[in-house]
């Protein structure tokens, strides 16, 4: 066991050596000296510490301690995380074909993938997952669920779900199989009667580019495409090559998409579009927000810098670092930051400069904000993510709505409502009746909402009680609390549209699946509506692009 991890440690240092340490006449001596020192500390502690040491965990802790001094993207990957790498790179894993999510105090099946074992055996979106392989499931062990469900193809997993407002309990024994996760969660003409295509891209695994190509070809065969809204909101990224392939569908052949530079700036690698675009002239708008990162920012940056389309939404996450995965042996890998990437105009959009704040970096490549120009001479800036061409805020405004989400009330109401109303059609749902039914449901469930202000008043009340203040103080606090309670009762009216959108989208999920929920949410999506309106206005679109 000990020999195994000595080899791992030595292999780790070799990888670090050959993937980035600067070369000088003393480097080999310094590496040898520090490996020897690290080894002596490891040996002394494992043999002589007062309590027995877990050799493997102690070694992992040492490796992770070193990597923690760099950036959050340079990580050690052991056997337990190999499925995550497979999913990121190839979009595949062995499972049953479901996604799960927390809704209040329950874990629910949020999506059932078409054609896989879970769907074939009758698991439904909205089912509450209560057990996997004799392990009781709750939000408290949510992080454990993935490892319980995943396994080797051909093996089985026992799952217990409840449905129909927890009236029915059903046990399943499901055969695991290889699951290919779609990068393109939704594609279609939206609004339905328009010539605008909406693409919801949620990942960047190897198949992303081909999925987009096939989708656009299929839609083009139905009717003429005039505009495209590519939604990259909350897309955390993935493979750089996949980002390049997405860009190739829209940019002219031989246009530069992105470049990467490591420690040796002379070894810059440039990525160009190698194919003729399938959508070269149609109006293109890319939706982004602060959850759009990495590969999403490569796409947004290339589209923006070449003025191929407009970026709409809010500023992106700001991850301009490139990682490389190296095998270390013993089913372990090292994911290490080896370069920064640069958009076609030459800007690095990395927001946090980890090197400048880190004492282990001897020579930092400082990231600074600077001005650059797009092909049409529009100003863009480095550092801090991609700034949209038109900033449109869109987020939940009400604390009440957030609390309803947190307690799973929208999901639970949809489950209750669909179970008690057969043959529901979204188009025939009356919004006033829905709100009224929802309020009755909240009362039945004894839902209580306290605003931040009320919580602060409660603290003041406790403090006043501890300090034994006069009765007048409590009278004043109670009067203020009553006023806030009265305001809270009106919040459903104030934020009616916001709450209705969530109610209807959850009902749509129950009766029409993920596509139905997506379309229902788009009805109230301010950023999408802004994008569609701009795409529908030729003069405004050209003006924003500074195009003739």
């Amino acid at each position: 066991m000990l020999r195994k991890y000595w080899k791992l440690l030595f292999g780790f240092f070799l990888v670090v050596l050959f993937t980035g340490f600067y070369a000088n006449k003393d480097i080999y001596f310094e590496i040898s000296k520090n490996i020897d020192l690290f080894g002596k500390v490891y040996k002394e502690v494992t043999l002589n510490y007062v309590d027995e040491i877990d050799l493997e965990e102690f070694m992992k802790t040492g490796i992770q301690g070193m990597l923690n001094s760099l950036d959050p993207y340079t990580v050690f990957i052991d056997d337990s995380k190999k499925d995550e790498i497979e999913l990121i790179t190839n979009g595949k894993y062995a499972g049953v074909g479901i996604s799960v999510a927390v809704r209040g105090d329950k874990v629910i099946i949020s999506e059932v993938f078409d054609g896989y074992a879970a769907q074939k055996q009758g698991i439904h979106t909205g089912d509450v997952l209560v057990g996997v392989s004799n392990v009781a499931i709750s939000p408290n062990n949510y992080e454990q669920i993935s490892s319980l469900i995943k396994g080797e193809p051909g093996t089985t997993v026992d799952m217990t779900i409840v449905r129909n407002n927890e009236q029915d309990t059903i046990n399943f024994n499901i055969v695991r199989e290889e699951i290919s996760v779609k990068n393109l969660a939704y594609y279609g003409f939206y609004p339905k009667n328009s010539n605008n295509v909406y693409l919801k891209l949620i990942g960047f695994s190897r198949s992303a580019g081909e999925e987009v190509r096939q989708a656009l070809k299929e839609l083009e065969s139905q009717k003429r495409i005039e505009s495209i809204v590519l939604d990259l909101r909350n897309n955390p990224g993935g493979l750089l090559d996949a980002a390049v392939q997405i860009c190739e569908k829209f940019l002219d052949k031989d246009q530069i998409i992105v470049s990467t530079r490591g420690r040796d700036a002379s070894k810059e690698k440039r990525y160009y579009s190698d194919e003729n675009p399938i959508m070269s002239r149609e109006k293109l708008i890319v939706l982004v927000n602060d959850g759009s990162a990495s590969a999403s920012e490569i796409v947004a940056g290339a589209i923006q810098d070449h003025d191929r389309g407009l970026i709409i939404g809010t500023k992106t996450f700001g991850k301009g670092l490139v990682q490389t995965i190296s095998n270390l042996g013993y089913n372990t890998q090292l994911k290490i930051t080896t370069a920064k990437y640069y958009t076609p105009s030459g800007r690095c959009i990395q927001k946090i400069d980890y090197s400048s704040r880190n004492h282990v970096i001897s020579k930092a490549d400082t990231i600074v904000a600077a001005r650059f120009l797009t092909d049409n001479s529009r100003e863009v800036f480095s550092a801090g993510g991609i700034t949209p061409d038109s900033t449109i805020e869109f987020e939940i405004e009400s604390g009440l709505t957030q609390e309803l989400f947190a307690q799973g009330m929208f999901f639970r109401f949809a489950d209750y409502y669909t179970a008690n109303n057969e043959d529901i059609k979204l188009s025939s749902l009356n919004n006033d009746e829905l709100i009224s039914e929802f309020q009755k449901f909240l009362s039945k469930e004894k839902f209580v909402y306290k605003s931040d202000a009320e919580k602060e008043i409660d603290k003041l009340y406790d403090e006043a009680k501890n300090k034994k203040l006069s009765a007048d103080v409590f009278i004043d606090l109670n009067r203020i609390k009553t006023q806030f309670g009265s305001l809270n009762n009106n919040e459903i009216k104030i934020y009616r549209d916001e709450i209705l959108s969530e109610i209807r989208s959850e009902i749509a999920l129950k009766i029409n699946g993920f596509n139905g929920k997506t379309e229902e949410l788009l009805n109230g999506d301010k950023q999408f509506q802004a994008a569609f309106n701009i795409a529908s206005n030729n003069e405004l679109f050209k003006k924003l692009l500074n195009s003739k």
Side-chain angles (χ1 to χ4, degrees), residues 246-495:
I246 296 294
C247 290
E248 287 178 326
K249 308 301 177 281
F250 307 105
L251 296 177
D252 291 337
K253 187 176 181 180
D254 297 327
Q255 280 191 310
I256 187 170
I257 293 172
V258 66
S259 60
T260 62
R261 292 199 296 271
R263 181 181 303 170
D264 186 351
S266 66
K267 294 181 179 179
E268 180 182 61
K269 185 172 183 180
R270 296 185 163 219
Y271 296 80
Y272 294 87
S273 179
D274 289 333
E275 60 185 56
N276 291 316
I278 56 176
M279 294 286 149
S280 61
R281 295 293 175 261
E282 292 78 3
K283 292 190 285 293
L284 175 64
I285 293 179
V286 181
L287 294 179
V288 298
N289 63 6
D290 60 0
S292 307
S294 187
S296 290
E297 295 173 294
I298 290 175
V299 173
I303 297 300
Q304 187 176 55
D305 283 3
H306 286 306
D307 296 301
R308 172 62 187 87
L310 292 169
I311 313 300
I312 288 179
T314 55
K315 187 174 286 190
T316 62
F317 181 81
K319 180 179 181 291
L321 305 176
V322 180
Q323 283 73 46
T324 301
I325 296 177
S326 301
N327 289 315
L328 300 177
Y330 305 106
N331 292 320
T332 64
Q333 297 170 306
L334 175 68
K335 182 157 73 85
I336 178 174
T337 299
T338 54
K340 296 183 178 75
Y341 75 75
Y342 298 81
T343 68
S345 65
R347 54 188 169 136
C348 177
I349 54 85
Q350 174 65 21
K351 180 185 294 183
I352 301 174
D353 190 354
Y354 295 102
S355 61
S356 66
R357 59 172 67 175
N358 197 322
H359 69 278
V360 305
I361 304 296
S362 61
K363 185 178 180 182
D365 178 18
T366 304
I367 300 170
V368 295
R371 172 180 173 272
F372 294 83
L373 295 176
T374 69
D375 291 356
N376 288 349
S377 298
R378 295 187 299 142
E379 282 191 346
V380 288
F381 296 88
S382 61
I386 301 287
T387 300
D389 301 308
S390 180
T391 297
I392 307 292
E393 299 284 347
F394 180 52
E395 59 185 17
I396 294 173
E397 297 178 10
S398 166
L400 171 60
T401 309
Q402 292 173 354
E403 188 64 24
L404 289 167
F405 260 124
Q407 295 193 30
M409 287 299 167
F410 295 122
F411 159 73
R412 289 163 64 183
F413 174 72
D415 196 40
Y416 163 81
Y417 191 82
T418 53
N420 289 278
N421 294 274
E422 297 181 357
D423 302 323
I424 299 173
K425 292 184 179 179
L426 279 171
S427 58
S428 62
L429 287 178
N430 181 285
N431 288 339
D432 291 334
E433 290 178 3
L434 269 183
I435 284 289
S436 177
E437 287 293 319
F438 186 59
Q439 287 178 303
K440 292 177 184 176
F441 177 79
L442 294 181
S443 178
K444 176 185 172 184
E445 293 293 312
K446 298 180 180 178
F447 171 78
V448 176
Y449 168 64
K450 283 189 177 182
S451 66
D452 290 340
E454 283 183 290
K455 292 174 184 176
E456 290 301 319
I457 292 170
D458 285 344
K459 291 179 182 178
L460 290 173
Y461 192 96
D462 290 340
E463 188 173 344
K465 188 176 180 181
N466 290 334
K467 292 183 177 180
K468 299 179 180 180
L469 298 181
S470 68
D472 291 341
V473 173
F474 295 100
I475 293 172
D476 289 338
L477 287 174
N478 285 330
R479 184 176 67 251
I480 295 170
K481 190 172 182 177
T482 300
Q483 290 173 339
F484 271 106
S486 200
L487 286 173
N488 290 343
N489 291 333
N490 289 323
E491 277 207 47
I492 286 184
K493 294 180 181 178
I494 296 170
Y495 296 100

Side-chain angles (χ1 to χ4, degrees), residues 186-190 192 198 426 505 508 512-525 528-529:
Y186 179 97
Y187 67 92
F189 286 101
Y190 196 87
K192 294 293 187 181
Y198 174 73
L426 279 171
S505 69
N512 293 327
F514 181 80
N515 282 1
K517 179 173 183 176
T518 299
E519 292 171 0
E520 189 63 35
L521 285 173
L522 287 174
N523 287 332
D525 189 330
F528 171 78
Q529 294 299 332

Side-chain angles (χ1 to χ4, degrees), residues 19 97 104 114 136 165 193 225 228 310 363 440 542:
T19 55
D114 291 340
N165 204 24
N193 61 351
I225 297 174
I228 301 164
L310 292 169
K363 185 178 180 182
K440 292 177 184 176
K542 289 182 178 180

Side-chain angles (χ1 to χ4, degrees), residues 83 86-88 90-99 111-120 149-154 174-182 205 207:
D83 285 345
E86 181 69 12
L87 182 59
I88 292 170
N90 297 316
K92 296 179 180 179
Y93 67 94
V96 300
I98 61 170
S99 290
E111 187 175 2
V112 180
F113 303 151
D114 291 340
Y116 292 109
Q119 184 196 54
K120 293 173 185 175
I149 295 176
K150 293 176 182 177
E152 292 298 319
I174 305 179
V175 178
R176 297 182 178 100
E177 57 187 315
E178 186 174 87
I179 309 296
S180 295
V181 180
K182 294 179 181 178
S205 69
S207 62

Side-chain angles (χ1 to χ4, degrees), residues 8-9 12-13 16 21 34-35 38 59-71 74 358 360:
L8 176 60
L9 176 64
F12 169 77
F13 275 107
V16 173
F21 267 94
N34 287 304
I35 287 177
F38 187 97
M59 176 60 74
K60 288 180 184 177
T61 301
I63 292 172
Q64 289 166 354
M66 287 188 290
L67 301 184
N68 286 342
S69 68
L70 299 172
D71 64 67
T74 297
N358 197 322
V360 305

Side-chain angles (χ1 to χ4, degrees), residues 33-72:
K33 181 185 76 173
N34 287 304
I35 287 177
D36 184 48
L37 180 60
F38 187 97
K40 287 178 178 178
V41 172
Y42 180 85
K43 181 179 178 181
E44 285 296 319
V45 173
T46 55
L47 293 178
N48 298 315
Y49 188 70
V50 62
D51 295 317
E52 187 173 343
I53 299 292
D54 183 313
L55 300 179
E56 181 175 354
E57 287 302 318
F58 191 43
M59 176 60 74
K60 288 180 184 177
T61 301
I63 292 172
Q64 289 166 354
M66 287 188 290
L67 301 184
N68 286 342
S69 68
L70 299 172
D71 64 67

